[in-house]
PDB file of all heavy atoms in Angstrom:
ATOM      1  N   PRO A  88      83.230-137.301 -57.304  1.00 98.00           N
ATOM      2  CA  PRO A  88      83.038-136.139 -56.350  1.00 98.00           C
ATOM      3  C   PRO A  88      82.243-135.035 -56.973  1.00 98.00           C
ATOM      4  O   PRO A  88      81.378-134.392 -56.169  1.00 98.00           O
ATOM      5  CB  PRO A  88      84.393-135.808 -55.893  1.00 98.00           C
ATOM      6  CG  PRO A  88      85.240-137.022 -56.045  1.00 98.00           C
ATOM      7  CD  PRO A  88      84.597-137.719 -57.247  1.00 98.00           C
ATOM      8  N   ASP A  89      82.507-134.619 -58.135  1.00 97.00           N
ATOM      9  CA  ASP A  89      81.767-133.466 -58.727  1.00 97.00           C
ATOM     10  C   ASP A  89      80.215-133.877 -59.023  1.00 97.00           C
ATOM     11  O   ASP A  89      79.301-132.982 -58.882  1.00 97.00           O
ATOM     12  CB  ASP A  89      82.388-133.117 -60.105  1.00 97.00           C
ATOM     13  CG  ASP A  89      83.617-132.323 -59.896  1.00 97.00           C
ATOM     14  OD1 ASP A  89      83.724-131.758 -58.787  1.00 97.00           O
ATOM     15  OD2 ASP A  89      84.531-132.255 -60.768  1.00 97.00           O
ATOM     16  N   PHE A  90      79.979-135.135 -59.332  1.00 97.00           N
ATOM     17  CA  PHE A  90      78.573-135.619 -59.532  1.00 97.00           C
ATOM     18  C   PHE A  90      77.794-135.478 -58.219  1.00 97.00           C
ATOM     19  O   PHE A  90      76.763-134.865 -58.140  1.00 97.00           O
ATOM     20  CB  PHE A  90      78.520-137.107 -59.969  1.00 97.00           C
ATOM     21  CG  PHE A  90      77.162-137.518 -60.361  1.00 97.00           C
ATOM     22  CD1 PHE A  90      76.679-137.490 -61.638  1.00 97.00           C
ATOM     23  CD2 PHE A  90      76.180-137.874 -59.342  1.00 97.00           C
ATOM     24  CE1 PHE A  90      75.423-137.941 -62.093  1.00 97.00           C
ATOM     25  CE2 PHE A  90      74.922-138.278 -59.636  1.00 97.00           C
ATOM     26  CZ  PHE A  90      74.488-138.410 -60.942  1.00 97.00           C
ATOM     27  N   VAL A  91      78.475-135.916 -57.146  1.00 97.00           N
ATOM     28  CA  VAL A  91      77.851-135.923 -55.825  1.00 97.00           C
ATOM     29  C   VAL A  91      77.662-134.484 -55.329  1.00 97.00           C
ATOM     30  O   VAL A  91      76.623-134.043 -54.859  1.00 97.00           O
ATOM     31  CB  VAL A  91      78.676-136.631 -54.729  1.00 97.00           C
ATOM     32  CG1 VAL A  91      78.188-136.473 -53.337  1.00 97.00           C
ATOM     33  CG2 VAL A  91      78.772-138.088 -55.082  1.00 97.00           C
ATOM     34  N   ARG A  92      78.743-133.580 -55.686  1.00 95.00           N
ATOM     35  CA  ARG A  92      78.602-132.176 -55.223  1.00 95.00           C
ATOM     36  C   ARG A  92      77.575-131.373 -56.036  1.00 95.00           C
ATOM     37  O   ARG A  92      76.813-130.660 -55.404  1.00 95.00           O
ATOM     38  CB  ARG A  92      80.011-131.558 -55.469  1.00 95.00           C
ATOM     39  CG  ARG A  92      80.059-130.081 -55.120  1.00 95.00           C
ATOM     40  CD  ARG A  92      81.335-129.464 -55.362  1.00 95.00           C
ATOM     41  NE  ARG A  92      81.364-127.976 -55.220  1.00 95.00           N
ATOM     42  CZ  ARG A  92      82.198-127.139 -55.719  1.00 95.00           C
ATOM     43  NH1 ARG A  92      83.149-127.654 -56.566  1.00 95.00           N
ATOM     44  NH2 ARG A  92      82.130-125.918 -55.569  1.00 95.00           N
ATOM     45  N   PHE A  93      77.595-131.488 -57.337  1.00 95.00           N
ATOM     46  CA  PHE A  93      76.791-130.614 -58.144  1.00 95.00           C
ATOM     47  C   PHE A  93      75.427-131.240 -58.549  1.00 95.00           C
ATOM     48  O   PHE A  93      74.520-130.475 -58.970  1.00 95.00           O
ATOM     49  CB  PHE A  93      77.532-130.208 -59.410  1.00 95.00           C
ATOM     50  CG  PHE A  93      78.622-129.214 -59.155  1.00 95.00           C
ATOM     51  CD1 PHE A  93      79.954-129.556 -59.537  1.00 95.00           C
ATOM     52  CD2 PHE A  93      78.431-128.075 -58.421  1.00 95.00           C
ATOM     53  CE1 PHE A  93      80.979-128.680 -59.372  1.00 95.00           C
ATOM     54  CE2 PHE A  93      79.513-127.149 -58.238  1.00 95.00           C
ATOM     55  CZ  PHE A  93      80.686-127.474 -58.703  1.00 95.00           C
ATOM     56  N   ILE A  94      75.331-132.602 -58.554  1.00 94.00           N
ATOM     57  CA  ILE A  94      74.019-133.161 -58.962  1.00 94.00           C
ATOM     58  C   ILE A  94      73.341-133.786 -57.742  1.00 94.00           C
ATOM     59  O   ILE A  94      72.270-133.232 -57.353  1.00 94.00           O
ATOM     60  CB  ILE A  94      74.311-134.181 -60.109  1.00 94.00           C
ATOM     61  CG1 ILE A  94      74.927-133.497 -61.297  1.00 94.00           C
ATOM     62  CG2 ILE A  94      72.940-134.838 -60.481  1.00 94.00           C
ATOM     63  CD1 ILE A  94      75.359-134.365 -62.437  1.00 94.00           C
ATOM     64  N   ALA A  95      73.815-134.930 -57.278  1.00 93.00           N
ATOM     65  CA  ALA A  95      73.152-135.510 -56.074  1.00 93.00           C
ATOM     66  C   ALA A  95      74.045-136.640 -55.650  1.00 93.00           C
ATOM     67  O   ALA A  95      74.725-137.300 -56.485  1.00 93.00           O
ATOM     68  CB  ALA A  95      71.821-135.929 -56.353  1.00 93.00           C
ATOM     69  N   ASP A  96      73.867-137.050 -54.467  1.00 95.00           N
ATOM     70  CA  ASP A  96      74.409-138.321 -54.028  1.00 95.00           C
ATOM     71  C   ASP A  96      73.355-139.354 -54.086  1.00 95.00           C
ATOM     72  O   ASP A  96      72.389-139.267 -53.307  1.00 95.00           O
ATOM     73  CB  ASP A  96      74.948-138.221 -52.478  1.00 95.00           C
ATOM     74  CG  ASP A  96      75.618-139.462 -52.043  1.00 95.00           C
ATOM     75  OD1 ASP A  96      75.567-140.505 -52.756  1.00 95.00           O
ATOM     76  OD2 ASP A  96      76.189-139.493 -50.937  1.00 95.00           O
ATOM     77  N   LYS A  97      73.328-140.172 -55.027  1.00 97.00           N
ATOM     78  CA  LYS A  97      72.333-141.202 -55.277  1.00 97.00           C
ATOM     79  C   LYS A  97      72.425-142.378 -54.457  1.00 97.00           C
ATOM     80  O   LYS A  97      71.581-143.252 -54.544  1.00 97.00           O
ATOM     81  CB  LYS A  97      72.438-141.629 -56.792  1.00 97.00           C
ATOM     82  CG  LYS A  97      72.319-140.557 -57.750  1.00 97.00           C
ATOM     83  CD  LYS A  97      70.815-139.995 -57.781  1.00 97.00           C
ATOM     84  CE  LYS A  97      70.571-139.003 -58.899  1.00 97.00           C
ATOM     85  NZ  LYS A  97      69.238-138.524 -59.023  1.00 97.00           N
ATOM     86  N   GLN A  98      73.414-142.379 -53.528  1.00 97.00           N
ATOM     87  CA  GLN A  98      73.615-143.548 -52.545  1.00 97.00           C
ATOM     88  C   GLN A  98      73.775-144.786 -53.252  1.00 97.00           C
ATOM     89  O   GLN A  98      73.314-145.893 -52.781  1.00 97.00           O
ATOM     90  CB  GLN A  98      72.383-143.633 -51.600  1.00 97.00           C
ATOM     91  CG  GLN A  98      72.284-142.234 -50.663  1.00 97.00           C
ATOM     92  CD  GLN A  98      73.408-142.140 -49.703  1.00 97.00           C
ATOM     93  OE1 GLN A  98      73.904-142.968 -49.014  1.00 97.00           O
ATOM     94  NE2 GLN A  98      73.971-140.857 -49.635  1.00 97.00           N
ATOM     95  N   VAL A  99      74.482-144.793 -54.430  1.00 98.00           N
ATOM     96  CA  VAL A  99      74.699-146.055 -55.229  1.00 98.00           C
ATOM     97  C   VAL A  99      76.092-146.509 -54.851  1.00 98.00           C
ATOM     98  O   VAL A  99      77.034-145.701 -55.214  1.00 98.00           O
ATOM     99  CB  VAL A  99      74.504-145.767 -56.680  1.00 98.00           C
ATOM    100  CG1 VAL A  99      74.885-147.034 -57.464  1.00 98.00           C
ATOM    101  CG2 VAL A  99      73.054-145.446 -56.926  1.00 98.00           C
ATOM    102  N   ARG A 100      76.371-147.562 -54.140  1.00 98.00           N
ATOM    103  CA  ARG A 100      77.739-147.933 -53.704  1.00 98.00           C
ATOM    104  C   ARG A 100      78.045-149.352 -54.164  1.00 98.00           C
ATOM    105  O   ARG A 100      79.213-149.755 -53.812  1.00 98.00           O
ATOM    106  CB  ARG A 100      77.761-147.892 -52.237  1.00 98.00           C
ATOM    107  CG  ARG A 100      77.352-146.544 -51.522  1.00 98.00           C
ATOM    108  CD  ARG A 100      78.393-145.483 -51.978  1.00 98.00           C
ATOM    109  NE  ARG A 100      78.038-144.190 -51.223  1.00 98.00           N
ATOM    110  CZ  ARG A 100      77.548-143.130 -51.701  1.00 98.00           C
ATOM    111  NH1 ARG A 100      77.219-143.149 -52.990  1.00 98.00           N
ATOM    112  NH2 ARG A 100      77.269-142.095 -51.017  1.00 98.00           N
ATOM    113  N   SER A 101      77.210-150.026 -54.863  1.00 98.00           N
ATOM    114  CA  SER A 101      77.507-151.443 -55.314  1.00 98.00           C
ATOM    115  C   SER A 101      77.006-151.582 -56.742  1.00 98.00           C
ATOM    116  O   SER A 101      76.191-150.778 -57.194  1.00 98.00           O
ATOM    117  CB  SER A 101      76.834-152.457 -54.399  1.00 98.00           C
ATOM    118  OG  SER A 101      75.450-152.407 -54.567  1.00 98.00           O
ATOM    119  N   LEU A 102      77.571-152.717 -57.357  1.00 98.00           N
ATOM    120  CA  LEU A 102      77.001-152.918 -58.754  1.00 98.00           C
ATOM    121  C   LEU A 102      75.554-153.306 -58.724  1.00 98.00           C
ATOM    122  O   LEU A 102      74.745-152.840 -59.581  1.00 98.00           O
ATOM    123  CB  LEU A 102      77.764-154.129 -59.261  1.00 98.00           C
ATOM    124  CG  LEU A 102      79.207-153.826 -59.730  1.00 98.00           C
ATOM    125  CD1 LEU A 102      79.879-155.163 -60.248  1.00 98.00           C
ATOM    126  CD2 LEU A 102      79.184-152.755 -60.801  1.00 98.00           C
ATOM    127  N   ALA A 103      75.115-153.937 -57.681  1.00 98.00           N
ATOM    128  CA  ALA A 103      73.672-154.305 -57.568  1.00 98.00           C
ATOM    129  C   ALA A 103      72.860-152.996 -57.507  1.00 98.00           C
ATOM    130  O   ALA A 103      71.797-152.854 -58.110  1.00 98.00           O
ATOM    131  CB  ALA A 103      73.457-155.242 -56.421  1.00 98.00           C
ATOM    132  N   GLN A 104      73.401-152.043 -56.730  1.00 98.00           N
ATOM    133  CA  GLN A 104      72.637-150.779 -56.624  1.00 98.00           C
ATOM    134  C   GLN A 104      72.706-149.918 -57.882  1.00 98.00           C
ATOM    135  O   GLN A 104      71.720-149.267 -58.251  1.00 98.00           O
ATOM    136  CB  GLN A 104      73.197-149.905 -55.445  1.00 98.00           C
ATOM    137  CG  GLN A 104      72.896-150.547 -54.085  1.00 98.00           C
ATOM    138  CD  GLN A 104      73.587-149.669 -52.963  1.00 98.00           C
ATOM    139  OE1 GLN A 104      74.763-149.305 -53.166  1.00 98.00           O
ATOM    140  NE2 GLN A 104      72.932-149.661 -51.775  1.00 98.00           N
ATOM    141  N   ALA A 105      73.797-150.111 -58.574  1.00 98.00           N
ATOM    142  CA  ALA A 105      73.806-149.392 -59.852  1.00 98.00           C
ATOM    143  C   ALA A 105      72.906-150.065 -60.885  1.00 98.00           C
ATOM    144  O   ALA A 105      72.304-149.266 -61.621  1.00 98.00           O
ATOM    145  CB  ALA A 105      75.326-149.530 -60.478  1.00 98.00           C
ATOM    146  N   GLN A 106      72.753-151.277 -60.935  1.00 98.00           N
ATOM    147  CA  GLN A 106      71.690-151.974 -61.771  1.00 98.00           C
ATOM    148  C   GLN A 106      70.372-151.547 -61.305  1.00 98.00           C
ATOM    149  O   GLN A 106      69.482-151.237 -62.254  1.00 98.00           O
ATOM    150  CB  GLN A 106      71.879-153.488 -61.649  1.00 98.00           C
ATOM    151  CG  GLN A 106      73.100-154.052 -62.260  1.00 98.00           C
ATOM    152  CD  GLN A 106      73.261-155.477 -62.237  1.00 98.00           C
ATOM    153  OE1 GLN A 106      72.776-156.080 -61.207  1.00 98.00           O
ATOM    154  NE2 GLN A 106      73.919-156.102 -63.155  1.00 98.00           N
ATOM    155  N   GLN A 107      70.061-151.323 -60.066  1.00 98.00           N
ATOM    156  CA  GLN A 107      68.721-150.868 -59.611  1.00 98.00           C
ATOM    157  C   GLN A 107      68.501-149.562 -60.089  1.00 98.00           C
ATOM    158  O   GLN A 107      67.457-149.115 -60.512  1.00 98.00           O
ATOM    159  CB  GLN A 107      68.654-150.943 -58.103  1.00 98.00           C
ATOM    160  CG  GLN A 107      68.512-152.402 -57.578  1.00 98.00           C
ATOM    161  CD  GLN A 107      67.241-153.062 -57.962  1.00 98.00           C
ATOM    162  OE1 GLN A 107      66.183-152.524 -57.950  1.00 98.00           O
ATOM    163  NE2 GLN A 107      67.400-154.333 -58.588  1.00 98.00           N
ATOM    164  N   TYR A 108      69.538-148.617 -59.984  1.00 98.00           N
ATOM    165  CA  TYR A 108      69.469-147.236 -60.445  1.00 98.00           C
ATOM    166  C   TYR A 108      69.124-147.328 -61.909  1.00 98.00           C
ATOM    167  O   TYR A 108      68.212-146.448 -62.365  1.00 98.00           O
ATOM    168  CB  TYR A 108      70.770-146.496 -60.202  1.00 98.00           C
ATOM    169  CG  TYR A 108      70.914-145.204 -60.970  1.00 98.00           C
ATOM    170  CD1 TYR A 108      70.340-144.020 -60.420  1.00 98.00           C
ATOM    171  CD2 TYR A 108      71.479-145.126 -62.189  1.00 98.00           C
ATOM    172  CE1 TYR A 108      70.347-142.845 -61.179  1.00 98.00           C
ATOM    173  CE2 TYR A 108      71.558-143.854 -62.871  1.00 98.00           C
ATOM    174  CZ  TYR A 108      70.900-142.772 -62.376  1.00 98.00           C
ATOM    175  OH  TYR A 108      70.961-141.622 -63.042  1.00 98.00           O
ATOM    176  N   LEU A 109      69.746-148.022 -62.752  1.00 98.00           N
ATOM    177  CA  LEU A 109      69.472-148.118 -64.150  1.00 98.00           C
ATOM    178  C   LEU A 109      68.057-148.566 -64.521  1.00 98.00           C
ATOM    179  O   LEU A 109      67.358-147.962 -65.324  1.00 98.00           O
ATOM    180  CB  LEU A 109      70.500-149.075 -64.844  1.00 98.00           C
ATOM    181  CG  LEU A 109      71.938-148.495 -65.053  1.00 98.00           C
ATOM    182  CD1 LEU A 109      72.806-149.554 -65.599  1.00 98.00           C
ATOM    183  CD2 LEU A 109      71.979-147.200 -65.885  1.00 98.00           C
ATOM    184  N   MET A 110      67.642-149.572 -63.738  1.00 98.00           N
ATOM    185  CA  MET A 110      66.336-150.163 -63.987  1.00 98.00           C
ATOM    186  C   MET A 110      65.262-149.123 -63.616  1.00 98.00           C
ATOM    187  O   MET A 110      64.211-148.997 -64.249  1.00 98.00           O
ATOM    188  CB  MET A 110      66.053-151.447 -63.183  1.00 98.00           C
ATOM    189  CG  MET A 110      66.819-152.611 -63.858  1.00 98.00           C
ATOM    190  SD  MET A 110      66.396-154.201 -63.150  1.00 98.00           S
ATOM    191  CE  MET A 110      67.131-154.050 -61.521  1.00 98.00           C
ATOM    192  N   HIS A 111      65.351-148.575 -62.370  1.00 98.00           N
ATOM    193  CA  HIS A 111      64.351-147.604 -61.863  1.00 98.00           C
ATOM    194  C   HIS A 111      64.491-146.118 -62.272  1.00 98.00           C
ATOM    195  O   HIS A 111      63.596-145.300 -62.095  1.00 98.00           O
ATOM    196  CB  HIS A 111      64.300-147.729 -60.310  1.00 98.00           C
ATOM    197  CG  HIS A 111      63.946-149.118 -59.901  1.00 98.00           C
ATOM    198  ND1 HIS A 111      62.702-149.646 -60.115  1.00 98.00           N
ATOM    199  CD2 HIS A 111      64.713-150.074 -59.339  1.00 98.00           C
ATOM    200  CE1 HIS A 111      62.658-150.892 -59.580  1.00 98.00           C
ATOM    201  NE2 HIS A 111      63.963-151.147 -59.202  1.00 98.00           N
ATOM    202  N   GLY A 112      65.606-145.861 -62.981  1.00 98.00           N
ATOM    203  CA  GLY A 112      65.931-144.498 -63.410  1.00 98.00           C
ATOM    204  C   GLY A 112      65.845-144.362 -64.947  1.00 98.00           C
ATOM    205  O   GLY A 112      64.695-144.308 -65.524  1.00 98.00           O
ATOM    206  N   PRO A 113      66.988-144.437 -65.729  1.00 98.00           N
ATOM    207  CA  PRO A 113      66.940-144.372 -67.062  1.00 98.00           C
ATOM    208  C   PRO A 113      66.053-145.351 -67.768  1.00 98.00           C
ATOM    209  O   PRO A 113      65.223-144.856 -68.704  1.00 98.00           O
ATOM    210  CB  PRO A 113      68.448-144.596 -67.444  1.00 98.00           C
ATOM    211  CG  PRO A 113      69.189-144.060 -66.297  1.00 98.00           C
ATOM    212  CD  PRO A 113      68.394-144.439 -65.116  1.00 98.00           C
ATOM    213  N   MET A 114      66.101-146.666 -67.439  1.00 98.00           N
ATOM    214  CA  MET A 114      65.333-147.605 -68.265  1.00 98.00           C
ATOM    215  C   MET A 114      63.770-147.450 -67.969  1.00 98.00           C
ATOM    216  O   MET A 114      63.025-147.591 -68.872  1.00 98.00           O
ATOM    217  CB  MET A 114      65.704-149.018 -67.800  1.00 98.00           C
ATOM    218  CG  MET A 114      67.174-149.267 -68.222  1.00 98.00           C
ATOM    219  SD  MET A 114      67.813-150.901 -67.456  1.00 98.00           S
ATOM    220  CE  MET A 114      68.725-151.498 -68.946  1.00 98.00           C
ATOM    221  N   ALA A 115      63.458-147.127 -66.707  1.00 98.00           N
ATOM    222  CA  ALA A 115      62.043-146.805 -66.434  1.00 98.00           C
ATOM    223  C   ALA A 115      61.531-145.637 -67.194  1.00 98.00           C
ATOM    224  O   ALA A 115      60.434-145.526 -67.721  1.00 98.00           O
ATOM    225  CB  ALA A 115      61.828-146.625 -65.005  1.00 98.00           C
ATOM    226  N   SER A 116      62.422-144.633 -67.282  1.00 97.00           N
ATOM    227  CA  SER A 116      62.081-143.414 -68.192  1.00 97.00           C
ATOM    228  C   SER A 116      61.922-143.753 -69.590  1.00 97.00           C
ATOM    229  O   SER A 116      60.958-143.152 -70.259  1.00 97.00           O
ATOM    230  CB  SER A 116      63.151-142.347 -67.989  1.00 97.00           C
ATOM    231  OG  SER A 116      62.812-141.177 -68.663  1.00 97.00           O
ATOM    232  N   TYR A 117      62.778-144.640 -70.192  1.00 97.00           N
ATOM    233  CA  TYR A 117      62.543-144.996 -71.597  1.00 97.00           C
ATOM    234  C   TYR A 117      61.168-145.597 -71.718  1.00 97.00           C
ATOM    235  O   TYR A 117      60.483-145.317 -72.741  1.00 97.00           O
ATOM    236  CB  TYR A 117      63.639-146.049 -72.064  1.00 97.00           C
ATOM    237  CG  TYR A 117      65.042-145.731 -71.738  1.00 97.00           C
ATOM    238  CD1 TYR A 117      65.938-146.775 -71.557  1.00 97.00           C
ATOM    239  CD2 TYR A 117      65.524-144.434 -71.712  1.00 97.00           C
ATOM    240  CE1 TYR A 117      67.283-146.531 -71.319  1.00 97.00           C
ATOM    241  CE2 TYR A 117      66.845-144.152 -71.623  1.00 97.00           C
ATOM    242  CZ  TYR A 117      67.772-145.215 -71.406  1.00 97.00           C
ATOM    243  OH  TYR A 117      69.120-145.009 -71.029  1.00 97.00           O
ATOM    244  N   ALA A 118      60.746-146.444 -70.864  1.00 97.00           N
ATOM    245  CA  ALA A 118      59.516-147.121 -70.962  1.00 97.00           C
ATOM    246  C   ALA A 118      58.314-146.135 -70.806  1.00 97.00           C
ATOM    247  O   ALA A 118      57.287-146.204 -71.480  1.00 97.00           O
ATOM    248  CB  ALA A 118      59.393-148.255 -69.958  1.00 97.00           C
ATOM    249  N   ALA A 119      58.493-145.152 -69.841  1.00 97.00           N
ATOM    250  CA  ALA A 119      57.408-144.377 -69.541  1.00 97.00           C
ATOM    251  C   ALA A 119      57.254-143.144 -70.497  1.00 97.00           C
ATOM    252  O   ALA A 119      56.172-142.685 -70.912  1.00 97.00           O
ATOM    253  CB  ALA A 119      57.517-143.788 -68.135  1.00 97.00           C
ATOM    254  N   ASN A 120      58.416-142.631 -71.007  1.00 96.00           N
ATOM    255  CA  ASN A 120      58.440-141.315 -71.734  1.00 96.00           C
ATOM    256  C   ASN A 120      58.942-141.474 -73.116  1.00 96.00           C
ATOM    257  O   ASN A 120      58.869-140.518 -73.869  1.00 96.00           O
ATOM    258  CB  ASN A 120      59.385-140.309 -70.987  1.00 96.00           C
ATOM    259  CG  ASN A 120      58.909-140.069 -69.567  1.00 96.00           C
ATOM    260  OD1 ASN A 120      57.743-139.704 -69.336  1.00 96.00           O
ATOM    261  ND2 ASN A 120      59.849-140.194 -68.620  1.00 96.00           N
TER     262      ASN A 120
END
């Protein structure tokens, strides 16, 4: 709840969505930056 309140609701509700978040968020940033 504090993540959603203070950062954002990323709309990640399943393990598959969490994997997509990792691939298109942190992991994509490692590759790009």
Side-chain angles (χ1 to χ4, degrees):
D89 286 335
F90 188 100
V91 172
R92 176 180 174 207
F93 290 123
I94 299 173
D96 184 352
K97 299 291 187 179
Q98 299 293 314
V99 172
R100 304 292 186 257
S101 70
L102 285 177
Q104 289 173 327
Q106 289 176 332
Q107 289 296 311
Y108 167 83
L109 288 170
M110 287 188 293
H111 298 289
M114 295 169 142
S116 183
Y117 308 151
N120 304 307

